[in-house]
Amino acid sequence: MKQLKHTLVFIALISFASCDNEDTNVDTSFISGFYQIASITSNEAVDLNGDTETSTDLKTEIDDYFKDNDYAYDLEIRPNTTNDTEFKLISIYFPEPNLSFDFPSRPQGYVEFAKNSVGYQYEFENDKFTLMPSDNDFIQVLSLELANDNKIQSTVSKSYYDFEIEDWKTLEIVIVYRKLD
């Protein structure tokens, strides 16, 4: 009887381990690499740069962040060819506002956007990413999925200072990333 119990426990452990291995053996090589923001659209028109014009196209509102950004990447999916680890990690680089009211020539405020980042461990299945919880108050990723072979689409929630209302506003933002060669 004891041997039967041990055999059943052993079979259960083997079954559990083999199920666990199925999740980690998903091929991610076709999505691994570096991506750049192709488009970034807000659910509301806002004035993020203080030019008194509102838009849902955040590339025009955060223009200094995207200027001279031809070779920079905004999303990295590991493992990739630049590292030798099998660790599944997504690094998201996103514009973070640095707001100042200290300039006499700009009493309404002045903003510059810096590149900030957050990393997530992930699982990938059925063209969708499942991100593991992260201690991150920088950005909330609502969804992240494969759009096609060279593009990934994400929806995020992020707070930005809107110069039109002179207050912070939480936006739902759709980002399309294109893979860099």
Side-chain angles (χ1 to χ4, degrees):
M1 186 68 164
K2 277 187 180 182
Q3 189 165 3
L4 179 61
K5 283 184 183 177
H6 290 291
T7 303
L8 290 174
V9 168
F10 180 73
I11 290 171
L13 286 173
I14 295 293
S15 297
F16 178 73
S18 67
C19 290
D20 192 40
N21 286 340
E22 287 175 17
D23 293 339
T24 59
N25 288 334
V26 174
D27 180 25
T28 58
S29 63
F30 68 100
I31 57 167
S32 295
F34 300 91
Y35 294 77
Q36 187 176 65
I37 294 175
S39 67
I40 179 169
T41 309
S42 169
N43 62 327
E44 297 180 53
V46 289
D47 177 14
L48 302 185
N49 57 8
D51 66 356
T52 68
E53 295 180 26
T54 62
S55 178
T56 59
D57 178 2
L58 297 190
K59 271 195 160 186
T60 62
E61 290 299 318
I62 309 173
D63 55 348
D64 67 327
Y65 177 86
F66 292 103
K67 193 183 298 183
D68 300 324
N69 198 29
D70 291 339
Y71 303 102
Y73 60 89
D74 302 298
L75 179 75
E76 178 185 6
I77 300 177
R78 292 183 181 188
N80 58 49
T81 58
T82 64
N83 55 55
D84 59 357
T85 180
E86 291 300 312
F87 189 67
K88 292 181 185 175
L89 179 70
I90 291 180
S91 297
I92 299 171
Y93 301 86
F94 209 71
E96 177 72 8
N98 292 320
L99 185 63
S100 174
F101 293 94
D102 294 335
F103 296 102
S105 63
R106 302 282 302 263
Q108 76 280 12
Y110 175 75
V111 66
E112 289 183 321
F113 293 91
K115 190 175 244 186
N116 202 350
S117 68
V118 62
Y120 293 94
Q121 291 181 3
Y122 73 92
E123 292 297 327
F124 181 75
E125 189 174 357
N126 299 325
D127 294 341
K128 294 184 190 240
F129 294 86
T130 302
L131 304 180
M132 304 308 142
S134 170
D135 290 338
N136 156 39
D137 57 0
F138 163 61
I139 191 172
Q140 182 183 6
V141 179
L142 304 174
S143 70
L144 187 68
E145 60 192 21
L146 187 63
N148 65 35
D149 290 338
N150 293 318
K151 291 187 179 164
I152 290 178
Q153 182 170 314
S154 181
T155 302
V156 301
S157 176
K158 173 88 178 122
S159 291
Y160 281 107
Y161 187 81
D162 184 355
F163 284 92
E164 181 181 45
I165 64 169
E166 297 180 347
D167 202 359
W168 292 88
K169 183 184 277 188
T170 301
L171 303 173
E172 189 168 294
I173 303 167
V174 175
I175 307 129
V176 176
Y177 296 95
R178 68 175 171 80
K179 193 168 189 177
L180 298 173
D181 295 326

